[in-house]
Amino acid sequence: MQVTSRSRLNLRIQYIIFVVLFISCISLLAWLSTQYSFRSDWTAGKRNSLAEDTVKLLKQLDGEINIRSYQADDPTTRLAVEEILERYKSHNKNLHFRILNPDLEIDLAKTDAINSYGQTVIKYNDRQELLDSLNEQGITNALIRLSRKSQSMITFIQGHSERNPDETANTGYSTLKPQLMDKGFNIQSINLLQNKLTTDIKLLILAAPNHKLLEGEVEQIMDYIAQGGNLLWLQDPGDLQNLEPVAKRLHINFLQCILVDNNPSLRGTLRIQHPAVIPIISYGQHKITENMRYNTLFPIANAIDFEKGSDWMVTPLLITLPQSWSETDGFVLDVKLEEDKGDIAGPHTPGLALERTLENKKSQRLVVIGDSDFLANTYIGAGANLALGLNIVNWLNTDDS
């Protein structure tokens, strides 16, 4: 091709345009980098990322979050603290943090009641918490507690050999109690012969009484429900211990059976030794179960039916597998479905959520589970049992988040 003065001019113009566009792109990228931040975690298992629930919580907090972490003058420690707090800051623009040396910031450390290196103060919602160590679980639990508008009181009924939040034996709930307290709940027990149920009880838990309640005690529970109180009722198979009126008022019916899933393959996979330990891998569509991605286990559980058309909106929470059934004639390890003897083929529902709107427009919530073992010390660590229990309590406290 013959090179002319016109072609030289065209090449020069193209070169100038390319240079201008290139410089413009670089300038635009530089400006964007000052306006936005992007973090990507390429580590195995995303070790440097926050948990999904933590990210969800941070997106819901709309007020100023101020964190002051008091650390020794050690570069490695300060860098580690900065990294974890930056993860939180990247998900909430209203989060601000400072890493301070208590030996230099003496007055501020005194105001924050700091007495040792490593302590951190988190302020939100006109309240603050002091943490002795810094990790994701501690920070997130502190933010959950601070985000609650008030301290919620959870009350366990006692006096009939119910599950006890202070009992450390296998059947007790002592593992559940600190988990609830970490989430900002206050825990108390009440004997209905000594104290009356009042409307300031945010949540009442009736966990598998083994002795009959007196008529007056049942009337207290009925009045509590009638006044709009929230209830978690955990009922093992067998005698309802005079709680039949409560079931009738809720329009529910316990089948008086033991749920069985005698699937050797599934039991082998989940390492379940007994067919009456029911695995749940299917959940109803509800706020409690919307993020459940793992199985839960229910030892010696009962199925629950409910009447349609009542004043309660009822949602099945837990759904057994199709090969399960309700065993009505006792069982051994090689038990099999015998419908001619009264067994009822599955799937069944061992857990329900009930909700209704009261005259004052407030929402009343109840959860009924045909088993109390799943939150006991022995089984609370199985599968997602703990997560399910915490979800239930949060929802019953009208905390959908």
Side-chain angles (χ1 to χ4, degrees):
M1 181 183 69
Q2 183 178 2
V3 179
T4 64
S5 57
R6 183 178 181 84
S7 62
R8 290 194 187 95
L9 178 61
N10 288 336
L11 289 172
R12 185 170 299 174
I13 292 173
Q14 292 176 13
Y15 175 75
I16 293 173
I17 292 174
F18 170 78
V19 171
V20 171
L21 290 175
F22 180 76
I23 294 174
S24 298
C25 289
I26 295 298
S27 300
L28 178 61
L29 290 173
W31 179 80
L32 288 173
S33 69
T34 65
Q35 302 299 313
Y36 305 95
S37 63
F38 174 76
R39 297 170 62 92
S40 180
D41 185 2
W42 291 62
T43 60
K46 295 189 178 295
R47 295 188 303 273
N48 295 325
S49 298
L50 297 177
E52 180 181 344
D53 289 344
T54 296
V55 174
K56 182 179 178 181
L57 170 67
L58 287 169
K59 291 179 178 179
Q60 293 169 345
L61 302 179
D62 52 7
E64 291 286 327
I65 306 170
N66 290 293
I67 300 177
R68 290 197 288 266
S69 186
Y70 293 86
Q71 304 294 334
D73 194 14
D74 175 58
T76 302
T77 301
R78 295 172 73 90
L79 178 61
V81 171
E82 183 177 3
E83 285 181 352
I84 188 171
L85 294 179
E86 280 290 353
R87 295 177 210 163
Y88 279 81
K89 183 177 177 62
S90 67
H91 294 287
N92 190 312
K93 63 181 181 180
N94 295 320
L95 188 148
H96 311 283
F97 70 85
R98 296 174 62 191
I99 303 175
L100 307 170
N101 186 333
D103 297 327
L104 301 178
E105 302 285 350
I106 299 176
D107 291 338
L108 196 55
K110 185 176 181 180
T111 300
D112 287 337
I114 300 300
N115 53 42
S116 65
Y117 294 123
Q119 292 184 310
T120 298
V121 171
I122 301 178
K123 295 187 176 183
Y124 179 76
N125 204 19
D126 295 326
R127 290 184 291 151
Q128 72 178 47
E129 288 221 7
L130 176 65
L131 303 181
D132 290 327
S133 60
L134 209 60
N135 54 62
E136 181 177 348
Q137 182 178 6
I139 297 172
T140 299
N141 283 341
L143 289 173
I144 291 174
R145 292 190 293 268
L146 293 172
S147 66
R148 297 193 189 279
K149 295 180 181 179
S150 61
Q151 291 285 345
S152 296
M153 180 64 72
I154 297 177
T155 300
F156 284 79
I157 291 179
Q158 297 292 292
H160 318 88
S161 297
E162 294 91 346
R163 304 287 181 163
N164 191 327
D166 295 313
E167 177 58 61
T168 58
N170 290 342
T171 57
Y173 277 16
S174 62
T175 304
L176 175 64
K177 181 178 178 178
Q179 294 287 339
L180 294 174
M181 295 179 67
D182 282 345
K183 298 295 186 291
F185 297 109
N186 290 328
I187 311 296
Q188 70 173 4
S189 296
I190 188 172
N191 187 313
L192 298 181
L193 296 180
Q194 299 173 331
N195 304 95
K196 299 293 184 182
L197 294 178
T198 58
T199 54
D200 63 341
I201 295 176
K202 186 72 173 178
L203 170 60
L204 182 67
I205 297 182
L206 179 57
N210 277 317
H211 300 291
K212 294 185 182 299
L213 280 74
L214 299 177
E215 182 178 349
E217 294 176 308
V218 176
E219 288 177 356
Q220 282 199 60
I221 297 173
M222 296 283 285
D223 290 342
Y224 173 81
I225 295 174
Q227 294 170 12
N230 297 334
L231 172 70
L232 171 58
W233 183 7
L234 307 176
Q235 179 62 50
D236 290 333
D239 196 324
L240 292 186
Q241 309 300 349
N242 288 341
L243 291 169
E244 288 84 358
V246 179
K248 183 177 180 180
R249 177 62 190 90
L250 302 181
H251 301 278
I252 63 174
N253 177 47
F254 294 93
L255 296 189
Q256 294 306 320
C257 64
I258 294 178
L259 290 175
V260 173
D261 192 333
N262 197 12
N263 183 330
S265 176
L266 180 61
R267 284 167 53 195
T269 301
L270 297 177
R271 297 187 178 182
I272 298 173
Q273 301 298 320
H274 200 287
V277 178
I278 296 294
I280 299 293
I281 60 176
S282 180
Y283 302 95
Q285 294 184 349
H286 193 271
K287 279 286 184 180
I288 291 175
T289 53
E290 65 180 359
N291 292 318
M292 297 295 293
R293 301 289 184 269
Y294 201 57
N295 69 276
T296 46
L297 295 180
F298 294 82
I300 318 297
N302 200 351
I304 312 171
D305 277 343
F306 60 93
E307 298 177 17
K308 296 181 179 179
S310 72
D311 55 339
W312 296 95
M313 181 176 68
V314 183
T315 303
L317 292 178
L318 313 171
I319 303 170
T320 64
L321 294 169
Q323 66 266 25
S324 66
W325 70 89
S326 59
E327 178 65 37
T328 58
D329 192 34
F331 57 85
V332 291
L333 290 179
D334 60 348
V335 66
K336 60 183 180 180
L337 174 64
E338 296 177 304
E339 295 184 88
D340 59 325
K341 293 185 179 181
D343 296 347
I344 304 174
H348 287 287
T349 301
L352 301 173
L354 298 84
E355 186 173 13
R356 66 176 178 177
T357 301
L358 304 173
E359 291 182 359
N360 58 8
K361 305 303 181 183
K362 290 186 177 180
S363 174
Q364 181 182 15
R365 299 175 172 185
L366 291 80
V367 169
V368 183
I369 306 291
D371 174 54
S372 67
D373 289 297
F374 81 104
L375 290 179
N377 295 333
T378 300
Y379 291 101
I380 194 170
N385 283 18
L386 173 60
L388 176 64
L390 295 178
N391 287 355
I392 290 172
V393 171
N394 278 324
W395 183 76
L396 288 172
N397 277 274
T398 61
D399 185 357
D400 292 341
S401 60

